[in-house]
């Protein structure tokens, strides 16, 4: 029995959106069953389709889950394409791989991937890793917003400081000039 994956796509737009790039229907079915209640899911069966979906939903994507070995464009090529654009660096990408070795781990990190999950997928590990990366990104965003707010406040304080010092200096210059002229008149 084949599953119609489109029935599960973009069903919960108010929840964090995951882009899942996976070409194996059995793996995809397991992932959907594990995540459909907690997340909004978007699917692609290879890296090329993943890029299209990424560009379509870019603003909404909280995390990318990508297989490594896929037809047309593998996960490494897909990852490289996503992170060529530096503005995407904040999006966590987690690889799903059966072929894990130290060289791949180095390549993952070098390409910008955040983490990996080995096949066969343990759904508890999958959920924990996704929750970790989405929470981490949420807190990073909060810190960035606080930093922007603080920088804005510091800018306002500096501007106010400049205005106040200017307003204080103006009368001082007038008084200094007056004293100079009074002294000149006295000395005549």
């Amino acid at each position: 029995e084949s599953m119609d994956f489109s029935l599960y796509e973009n069903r919960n737009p108010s929840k964090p959106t995951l882009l899942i790039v996976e070409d194996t229907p059995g793996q995809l079915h397991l992932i959907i069953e594990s995540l459909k209640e907690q997340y909004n899911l978007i699917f692609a069966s290879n890296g090329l389709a993943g890029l299209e979906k990424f560009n379509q939903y870019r603003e909404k994507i909280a995390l990318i889950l990508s297989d490594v070995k896929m037809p047309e464009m593998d996960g490494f090529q897909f990852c490289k394409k996503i992170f060529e654009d530096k503005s995407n660096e904040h999006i966590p990408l987690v690889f799903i791989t059966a072929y894990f070795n130290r060289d791949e781990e180095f390549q993952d990190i070098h390409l910008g991937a955040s983490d990996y999950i080995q096949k066969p997928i343990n759904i508890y590990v999958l959920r924990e890793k996704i929750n970790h990366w989405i929470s981490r990104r949420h807190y990073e965003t909060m810190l960035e917003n606080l930093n922007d707010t603080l920088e804005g406040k510091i800018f306002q304080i500096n501007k106010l400081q400049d205005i106040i010092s200017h307003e204080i200096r103006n009368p001082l210059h007038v008084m200094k000039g007056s004293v100079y002229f009074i002294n000149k008149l006295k000395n005549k």
Side-chain angles (χ1 to χ4, degrees):
E1 163 191 349
S2 70
M3 183 177 184
D4 183 2
F5 299 115
S6 65
L7 295 174
Y8 299 96
E9 187 164 52
N10 208 17
R11 303 281 299 175
N12 300 306
S14 64
K15 296 182 178 182
T17 298
L18 307 183
L19 171 59
I20 301 164
V21 186
E22 172 61 64
D23 66 323
T24 309
Q27 289 286 20
L28 191 53
H29 182 239
L30 174 69
I31 293 167
I32 289 170
E33 288 303 316
S34 304
L35 304 175
K36 69 182 180 186
E37 300 301 322
Q38 199 173 356
Y39 299 102
N40 186 43
L41 307 176
I42 306 295
F43 312 111
S45 59
N46 62 58
L48 282 176
L51 283 175
E52 286 177 24
K53 291 284 179 102
F54 178 79
N55 289 326
Q56 183 180 353
Y57 294 98
R58 178 187 306 250
E59 298 304 314
K60 296 176 66 178
I61 294 174
L63 181 136
I64 301 168
L65 197 58
S66 177
D67 192 5
V68 173
K69 307 289 185 214
M70 296 180 288
E72 295 186 56
M73 179 187 281
D74 71 20
F76 293 137
Q77 294 166 319
F78 169 70
C79 181
K80 189 175 179 187
K81 284 281 189 197
I82 293 290
F83 295 122
E84 276 177 0
D85 182 345
K86 298 293 181 203
S87 68
N88 297 329
E89 286 180 339
H90 67 281
I91 301 170
L93 186 147
V94 178
F95 277 125
I96 306 167
T97 181
Y99 308 100
F100 185 75
N101 61 48
R102 290 287 161 213
D103 292 339
E104 277 189 5
E105 182 177 27
F106 178 75
Q107 188 172 358
D108 292 359
I109 292 165
H110 178 71
L111 292 172
S114 305
D115 209 340
Y116 68 93
I117 296 171
Q118 278 190 278
K119 291 179 184 178
I121 295 174
N122 176 320
I123 60 169
Y124 302 105
V125 171
L126 175 71
R127 285 186 191 134
E128 283 303 311
K129 286 194 179 206
I130 290 171
N131 290 339
H132 164 78
W133 288 107
I134 288 178
S135 295
R136 179 178 169 160
R137 182 61 199 140
H138 172 75
Y139 292 122
E140 285 172 353
T141 302
M142 284 175 51
L143 284 172
E144 287 166 5
N145 292 340
L146 282 172
N147 190 40
D148 291 346
T149 302
L150 286 172
E151 285 176 359
K153 297 289 183 206
I154 289 169
F155 176 78
Q156 290 175 340
I157 289 168
N158 288 339
K159 196 171 182 178
L160 186 60
Q161 193 175 18
D162 290 344
I163 291 168
I164 291 170
S165 79
H166 175 75
E167 293 301 318
I168 290 171
R169 276 194 308 259
N170 272 352
L172 288 176
H173 286 302
V174 170
M175 290 190 314
K176 195 175 177 183
S178 299
V179 168
Y180 172 79
F181 284 113
I182 289 171
N183 285 335
K184 255 199 166 331
L185 289 172
K186 276 192 198 171
N187 295 331
K188 277 191 175 184

